[in-house]
């Protein structure tokens, strides 16, 4: 049965440095949560603490209502009833596929008939029926990872922890494995925590993504929210290569749209609904929110680099109004480096924290002006 995982004020110190720093997070039963962040941000340490391979310096971990770490408790990994999938597969090379998948069931002294049924079902779930007698050495990397997943399935765990399971696979195989993982998640219904530094992988599979930086969780939200409506500048920059620019909020409808002046031009963009704000703010711009427009009509910029992508040409452009800032835009046709183009800001996101900390609600501002 899937269990929720609750992390409360969890920290891990190695010497004087905090690898995990005051992390609190509730992972729902049956959720697929990705821990995403650059190398060294603490995601593996956090996963190892959930698994029980690391003790907590502070804080606690609950699986459902069972305390597994904290308040002097440290439940050993083998007693936590979690399944773990590593990038190194951790299979027994001298055993066959079926023997590997059956291994945890054998340890639990399940009957032969039960083992055989579970192994057949687990191998079918990862498209490896017919591979029962193959040796691990005779499998590809993707097939080995699928055996590791089948072994997990056969254990029927409530919690599955995955540490960069696709890191050793090539790009094409990774894409097909993303589907396998999604089906695997559906099938097990288990709570899954998936560590990766690859944001496209995290965004494609997870129901929520926790973005980590220097041991802390910056934001934890659904992929579309992180991408479209990030809460702060660090996540806006990290996810989808967003660019942050200063803006002046001119007016807003209170329902999630506002008019801003930015980079010497005006645009209608998205903003947090609720209070209508005006005053200075910070806006996240992404390549797909910018469009080429008729010469002289929008924001003038110089093309600094052009890279042909097949369906479009990706341009790096420098606005004349802000030298040094490099924006990216998808152009429907190639444009020469050095040319001047005009851009229209078709979409952007007014960052909430910057806005609420400096901007004034329109109603109040109007009263002040009256
Ligand atoms: N056993 C240890 N002893 C000392 N420092 C450690 C230990 N394990 C991890 N660290 C440090 O803790 C920090 C977080 O490491 P961690 O492996 O959790 O990061 P990560 O985000 O998983 O990185 P990567 O993607 O490179 O694996 C790093 O600065 C690392 O050097």
């Amino acid at each position: 049965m899937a269990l929720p995982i609750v992390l409360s004020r969890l920290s891990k110190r190695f010497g004087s440095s905090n690898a995990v720093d005051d992390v609190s997070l509730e992972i729902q039963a049956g959720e697929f949560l990705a821990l995403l962040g650059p190398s060294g941000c603490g995601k593996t340490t956090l996963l190892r603490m959930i698994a029980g391979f690391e003790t907590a310096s502070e804080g606690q971990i609950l699986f459902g209502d069972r305390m597994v770490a904290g308040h002097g408790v440290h439940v050993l990994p083998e007693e936590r009833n979690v399944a773990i999938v590593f990038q190194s597969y951790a299979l027994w090379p001298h055993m066959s596929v079926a023997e590997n998948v059956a291994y945890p069931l054998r340890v639990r002294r399940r009957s032969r008939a039960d083992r055989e049924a579970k192994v057949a079902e687990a191998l079918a779930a990862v498209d490896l029926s017919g591979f029962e007698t193959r040796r691990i050495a005779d499998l590809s990397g993707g097939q080995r990872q699928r055996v590791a997943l089948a072994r997990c399935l056969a254990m029927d765990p409530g919690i599955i922890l995955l540490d960069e399971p696709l890191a050793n696979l090539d790009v094409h195989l990774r894409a097909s494995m993303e589907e396998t993982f999604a089906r695997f998640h559906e099938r097990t219904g288990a709570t899954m925590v998936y560590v990766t530094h690859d944001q496209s992988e995290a965004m494609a599979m997870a129901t929520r993504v926790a973005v980590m930086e220097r041991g802390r969780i910056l934001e934890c939200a659904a992929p579309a929210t992180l991408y479209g409506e990030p809460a702060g500048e660090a996540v806006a920059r990290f996810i989808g290569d967003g660019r942050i620019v200063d803006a002046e909020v001119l007016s807003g409808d209170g329902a999630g749209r506002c008019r801003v002046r930015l980079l010497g031009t005006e645009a209608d963009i998205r903003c947090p609904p609720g209070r209508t704000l005006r005053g200075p703010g910070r806006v996240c711009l992404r390549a797909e929110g910018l469009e080429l427009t008729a010469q002289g009509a929008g924001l003038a910029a110089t093309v600094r680099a052009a890279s042909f992508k097949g369906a479009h040409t990706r341009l790096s452009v420098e606005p004349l109004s802000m030298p040094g800032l490099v924006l990216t835009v998808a152009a429907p046709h190639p444009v020469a480096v050095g040319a001047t183009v005009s851009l229209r800001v078709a979409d952007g996101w007014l960052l909430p924290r910057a806005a609420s900390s400096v901007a004034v609600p329109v109603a109040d501002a109007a009263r002040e002006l009256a």
Side-chain angles (χ1 to χ4, degrees):
M1 196 185 65
L3 287 171
I5 304 172
V6 180
L7 313 177
S8 308
R9 313 219 54 182
L10 199 61
S11 293
K12 179 69 189 180
R13 276 187 296 278
F14 291 113
S16 60
S17 73
N18 270 355
V20 171
D21 190 7
D22 198 15
V23 163
S24 293
L25 184 65
E26 288 191 20
I27 307 169
Q28 313 290 322
E31 185 174 6
F32 190 149
L33 181 104
L35 294 174
L36 173 70
S39 180
C41 72
K43 51 196 186 302
T44 302
T45 303
L46 184 54
L47 194 83
R48 289 173 54 80
M49 288 168 87
I50 299 172
F53 297 129
E54 299 283 0
T55 55
S57 305
E58 265 161 54
Q60 60 187 50
I61 304 173
L62 289 167
F63 290 172
D65 48 20
R66 177 183 180 215
M67 168 105 55
V68 293
H71 295 294
V73 174
H74 179 80
V75 175
L76 294 173
E78 57 273 24
E79 284 159 16
R80 291 197 183 193
N81 195 25
V82 297
I84 305 171
V85 180
F86 299 99
Q87 70 183 61
S88 59
Y89 321 126
L91 300 171
W92 302 104
H94 58 281
M95 289 185 193
S96 70
V97 165
E99 284 165 344
N100 264 281
V101 176
Y103 185 77
L105 301 171
R106 194 181 279 276
V107 171
R108 290 178 188 184
R109 305 198 173 284
R110 303 284 275 272
S111 70
R112 172 188 274 265
D114 192 16
R115 287 201 311 261
E116 283 175 0
K118 281 259 178 226
V119 168
E121 190 193 349
L123 287 177
V126 298
D127 283 335
L128 282 181
S129 299
F131 283 70
E132 286 77 359
T133 55
R134 279 273 192 105
R135 304 193 71 74
I136 297 300
D138 299 333
L139 296 176
S140 72
Q143 288 166 337
R144 287 179 203 195
Q145 195 53 279
R146 300 216 299 267
V147 175
L149 287 181
R151 184 177 50 185
C152 244
L153 271 181
M155 281 173 69
D156 215 5
I159 294 174
I160 302 176
L161 308 176
L162 305 108
D163 189 2
E164 303 244 12
L166 303 184
N168 286 338
L169 306 181
D170 72 38
V171 178
H172 298 294
L173 205 49
R174 291 171 85 123
S176 73
M177 285 300 287
E178 283 177 8
E179 283 171 33
T180 306
F181 275 97
R183 265 189 284 129
F184 173 70
H185 177 236
E186 259 170 45
R187 186 140 191 150
T188 57
T191 310
M192 289 177 44
V193 184
Y194 187 108
V195 161
T196 180
H197 65 271
D198 182 326
Q199 56 173 279
S200 65
E201 204 172 283
M203 306 285 271
M205 293 188 281
T207 42
R208 280 194 308 162
V209 179
V211 182
M212 291 188 70
E213 186 186 79
R214 277 181 261 135
R216 290 182 165 256
I217 293 182
L218 295 176
E219 188 176 352
C220 180
T225 307
L226 282 183
Y227 189 85
E229 300 167 6
E233 291 192 17
V235 172
R237 283 200 183 89
F238 183 68
I239 302 286
D241 199 21
R243 300 298 147 86
I244 312 297
V245 297
D246 284 324
E248 176 82 11
V249 183
L250 304 172
S251 62
D253 63 3
R257 307 251 358 140
C258 63
R259 185 148 188 91
V260 295
R261 183 190 304 284
L262 79 181
L263 300 169
T265 185
E266 287 188 16
D268 288 312
I269 62 164
R270 291 172 296 112
C271 61
R275 295 183 348 151
T276 305
L277 303 159
R278 75 181 199 183
R282 304 269 282 167
V283 169
C284 171
L285 295 176
R286 300 192 194 283
E288 59 276 21
L290 298 171
E291 286 171 0
L292 290 193
T293 182
Q295 278 293 354
L299 158 67
T302 310
V303 177
R304 293 297 178 209
S307 138
F308 182 63
K309 298 282 180 196
H312 68 271
T313 300
R314 191 175 171 86
L315 305 180
S316 298
V317 302
E318 189 177 359
L320 301 190
S321 58
M322 187 165 289
L325 173 72
V326 178
L327 301 171
T328 49
V329 55
H333 46 77
V335 182
V337 172
T340 302
V341 291
S342 281
L343 301 179
R344 186 175 91 82
V345 178
D347 181 48
W349 167 248
L350 180 71
L351 289 161
R353 205 167 298 150
S356 58
S357 61
V358 292
V360 183
V362 161
D364 298 351
R367 237 174 277 128
E368 279 163 24
L369 291 172

